[in-house]
Amino acid sequence: MKMHFFKYLSLLSLVLPLCNAQPNTTFRVGVILDADSLVGRIGMTSLSLALSDFYSLNSNYSTRIVLHTRDSNGRVTDAAASALNLLKDVQVDAIIGPQKSAQANFVIGLGNASNVPIISFSATSPSLHPQTPYFVQTALSDDAQADAVAAVVKYFKWHQIVLVYEDSDYGNGITPYLSNAFQQVNARVSYRSVIPISTTNDFILQEMYKMKTMQTRVFVVHTSSALASRIFLKAKEAEMMSEGYVWIVTTGIMELFYSLDSKVVESMQGVVGVRPLVPRSSRLNSTTARWTKKFADDNAGVSPPPEMNLYALWAYDALWGLATAVDKTGVREQPISLQNATALNYTNMFITETSLTGPIILATMLDTKFEGLAGNFQLINGQLQPSSFQVLNVNGEELKQVGIWTPLLQNSSSQTNANMTGFVGEKLENIIWPGESRNVPKGWEVPVSGKKLRVGVPINAGFPEFVKVEMDPQTNSTKISGLYIDLFDTIMSALPYAVRYEFVPFVKSDGSCAGSYDDLSYQVSIGNYDVVVGDITITTTRSEYVVFTLPIEDGGVTRTQKIQYDDDPSDKWFFLRPLKWELWLTILSLFVFTGLALWILEHKFNEEFRGRPAGYLGLIFYIPFMSIVFAHREKMVTNLARLVVTVWIFVVLVLVSTYTASLSARLTIFKLQQGDTDINNLIRNGDYVGCREGTFLVEFLKRLGFHESRIRVYKLPEEFDNALLNGSGKGGITAMFSRTPYADLFLSKYCNKYMKVGSPFLTEGVGFGFPKGSPLVGDVSSAVTKLTDNHMISEIKTRWIKQSGCTDSDTSQVGWTNIGLKSFKILFGVTGAVTGTCVVVFIVYLMYSKRVEVRKIYGDSRTSGWEKVCGIWEIFDERDREFLPEEGVQMVDRNAAMSSGLQLLSNQVSPRINRSPPTVALDTKGLDNKGNTREK
């Protein structure tokens, strides 16, 4: 049957030129295909039909193509031998084929050596190009579909992929392009399953079980249809074609779907694949009908495909493009013969003649453009240009189109919206997934092998409130509890699926700590743990080993130091501490100023403010100071003095109340002395500082500038307590550096001893660490966000930390400040202004009322300056009753009674009034105190 078909095709190509009456130029074209393979049969039928259609439509052409077919038998050696036969014996001008990429990899070298174009419609490996300019791919290269496959992965937001491909040039050629495409959509290949072409079914089944134990559930398959059939049968046997699994296949498998066995089709239910989009046309429909009939005639006993697949269309268009190029070439040149060809054939069998027509046909074919059955036929750099792709879903016995992907849409959308995938309408129709499920698989599952996630936990977390590991050597059991353990349990239970896990302490065989937190993170990266949980701060070093979730707690590094008190209650000047010195001096100045103002205002009218100079000074200091306890008995007779006293009493009330409250607070609560916030002082002084053992803080302090010899590490809070109490001078430390939550809990236990100093240093928070590429990271981070929004995380923290918090009576949380002048600026300004205004008003009015006497004093040029001052003083010092109130006036009218009363007061109360001999005060009218006129 096979030899009969090849002879028939060759005879047909020889008969066609005889049907034309015009002189013809015959071009020899070789065909190398696997005659027994389905693709080979499809290709031979398409080439024969295209040859007939082309010359039936163009019967007036003077050129004709004669096909010389060879069978490669599916082997590389036979394909190479066929190519040598065609180049040497037939001296062909072009070769169509070979069928497979491995065969083409060798044949294109022969074509390059002889300048004969090698045209392939089925060898699609990207590795074949650009090996030589004489290789032409009239099929789409496999790398063109890589972005379409990645777009499906991006659309469903899968981040882990298992790549399954055959170990051949066809399988290996696409893997770098798929890996790059997945990387562009934030996905990675977690495992590569390389399956040999000639492998056994047992090997495939074993590989299926191996992949079943992995977390990833998205599989991309790129193999030949024959190998893919075996893979899917074994995948179904391993129960990997059930709900939750995703299988994506490439074009090579989709194109031969209708030729697969019914059992294979049944095992592929729910598979998704991509295939280049073929535009429908009336020409395609009529050609398909004739092609189906011809295939049945040429291949008796072989069921024809229901339609022309891509290989048939690409073969048809390839011959059509070659015939067009041949016609444009016009004249066939004889190849250059080799001298001593017979002798050379014995020494090197691969040396062939050089074609002169081949380069012309190649150049002409590369410039040929037409609308073929598969779409626009245009070759750039010897390759067919990419087109849109269909996304197909295996549903029953048919392929259902669920979407169309267009590279132009993806390229334009990538500049505006990185979330766009390139699908028409940015959507895919409902897909039936394996297991007849319509729910989109999440792309991964916890392995079904029964293995639990190993959660690494540090055993030295400091406070048991964070992480507490209790080991019972008798029962060999371990109890792990704490805030972060509770948080992890709550977050994992919030996931939309169940995850089995177990906590494993990070210890050595003897039960001691196995290393630092960095070491624990490294253990996750090498697979000893599946996740790390605890007070693990997110750092750059740890991020090299693991991928952290969103922080479950804020970060920051806090500096803690021993409390120092500003004041000592035993200090003899302690009573002066409530007010600052500038305020004390201002108050004293106001005392003097107020007393002086009252004496000025009352001196002329009030007997209490008259007397010897020593008495004046006594009153000036006595009245303001006695007003502190509101004990002064002097009566004010002028309204101006009363106003001054009223304002001053209010000021004294405020001052006394403020001083009393501040002094009381100092006697009961001692304010903490604020530590030096400049960390450089600790470095310059050579002070020792401490941090927790195994944390990132050692490197953190080194970066701050502390020498390693000045850094001491401790494990337990009690150790930090002793170290801070002793200080640097006694083998301890001056300051403790710790994460802010740790410092808060530490201070809650030692409220009366230590305090925070300065602002916290900003760092990342605390998170859970997973292996790089773990699909759990995204879901756990989403759960953290959800639990944070509904305040669940804060409630869990309250349950663990609430009993250790400081109470309201803790003195370390209370403070006060010395009261300064700034607090009384307005009050002092008001009293100073009122007092000063009253004094000015009194002096102005006095000078105005005594203007005649003042003019006499300053009008007499014979008096000296001192005499003038003494004259003014006499005016001020003389007793004046004119401005007294009504009861004062009545006293003037009864001089005898008043004089006797004053004399009695002088004898019994105020010695300063006793004068010997008694003087008579003169008023401005020249009368004595008896009303008699006396000379001045």
Side-chain angles (χ1 to χ4, degrees), residues 110-126:
L110 298 175
N112 186 55
S114 58
N115 292 348
V116 174
I118 307 299
I119 305 168
S120 178
F121 62 87
S122 58
T124 57
S125 175

Side-chain angles (χ1 to χ4, degrees), residues 239-303:
E239 299 181 352
M240 297 176 64
M241 299 303 299
S242 57
E243 185 176 359
Y245 287 86
V246 178
W247 293 87
I248 304 175
V249 298
T250 55
T251 300
I253 301 174
M254 283 285 98
E255 280 307 305
L256 300 177
F257 172 78
Y258 289 107
S259 64
L260 299 176
D261 185 83
S262 59
K263 292 184 178 180
V264 177
V265 173
E266 183 182 356
S267 68
M268 293 181 63
Q269 294 301 306
V271 170
V272 176
V274 296
R275 182 178 68 180
L277 178 65
V278 177
R280 309 307 300 182
S281 64
S282 57
R283 180 190 173 199
L284 175 61
N285 294 334
S286 62
T287 304
T288 299
R290 292 185 293 108
W291 182 90
T292 303
K293 182 179 183 303
K294 184 173 178 56
F295 184 90
D297 295 340
D298 296 343
N299 302 276
V302 179
S303 299

Side-chain angles (χ1 to χ4, degrees), residues 89 153 171 176 274 294 308 410 429 440 495 618 698 746 769 783 806 836 859 924:
D89 299 338
V153 173
V274 296
K294 184 173 178 56
M308 293 180 70
Q410 187 195 42
E429 301 296 333
V440 178
L495 296 178
V698 174
F746 178 81
C806 285
T924 54

Side-chain angles (χ1 to χ4, degrees), residues 73-146:
N73 295 311
R75 293 190 290 266
V76 175
T77 54
D78 287 0
S82 299
L84 284 173
N85 174 260
L86 292 172
L87 292 172
K88 285 187 174 184
D89 299 338
V90 182
Q91 296 182 348
V92 294
D93 301 303
I95 294 177
I96 297 178
Q99 180 177 320
K100 298 179 179 179
S101 298
Q103 299 167 348
N105 199 23
F106 186 81
V107 172
I108 60 178
L110 298 175
N112 186 55
S114 58
N115 292 348
V116 174
I118 307 299
I119 305 168
S120 178
F121 62 87
S122 58
T124 57
S125 175
S127 62
L128 299 175
H129 224 320
Q131 290 188 10
T132 169
Y134 282 89
F135 178 65
V136 178
Q137 278 182 315
T138 60
L140 279 180
S141 178
D142 287 334
D143 62 325
Q145 62 183 315

Side-chain angles (χ1 to χ4, degrees), residues 277-279 283 313-314 317 370-378 384 387:
L277 178 65
V278 177
R283 180 190 173 199
L313 299 177
W314 286 336
D317 291 345
F370 63 91
E371 191 65 30
L373 293 181
N376 185 32
F377 184 89
Q378 181 181 2
L384 190 66
S387 63

